Amino acid sequence: MIENATQEVHDARQRHHREMIERTRLRRLVERVDEVISACEEIHLQSIKETPADLKSRAEDVFSFARSAVSKTGDREALAAVEEAINRRQIKITEIMDILWTIQEIVFDLMLPWRTELPEDVEPEGPISGAPDWRRWTAVA
């Protein structure tokens, strides 16, 4: 009995260790994606449309890391979605940014599985009960 309990404790520690490694890997991926998105936004604000070679290289590094990190989760659907995103056209900065945002969404869903269970944003019909009347708080001239 003590042997079984000891083995269960060891198994739980190993599971926890693997989960921590995966979470860290996915967090690092999110950080890398954010860095490249930020660089893309800076370039885009300068009215440059096509992706410069250095930024393209950074994006390719992130794409490679994304493939590796997502494949290690064992989620085949997520990996297929990452591959589909990466296979899109990658000439304009906005196209690179769209791919990075897609990868980021996929990773967030892997990190927080409950996100996929949330209902889509739907506008309710009619007045929302309990909602404040915004007109009451505006100045009337």
Side-chain angles (χ1 to χ4, degrees), residues 104-119:
Q104 195 172 53
E105 284 296 314
I106 293 165
V107 173
F108 286 156
D109 288 344
L110 288 170
M111 292 171 73
L112 307 167
W114 53 266
R115 284 172 36 104
T116 59
E117 298 169 6
L118 295 174

Side-chain angles (χ1 to χ4, degrees), residues 45-59:
L45 288 173
Q46 297 172 19
S47 298
I48 298 172
K49 302 291 181 202
E50 289 192 21
T51 309
D54 63 323
L55 190 56
K56 175 77 169 155
S57 176
R58 287 178 64 190

Side-chain angles (χ1 to χ4, degrees), residues 21-39:
I21 289 171
E22 185 172 310
R23 279 191 222 137
T24 301
R25 184 182 312 115
L26 293 176
R27 267 191 255 119
R28 285 189 183 132
L29 176 55
V30 169
E31 289 170 1
R32 287 182 174 185
V33 167
D34 282 341
E35 289 170 4
V36 177
I37 287 173
S38 179

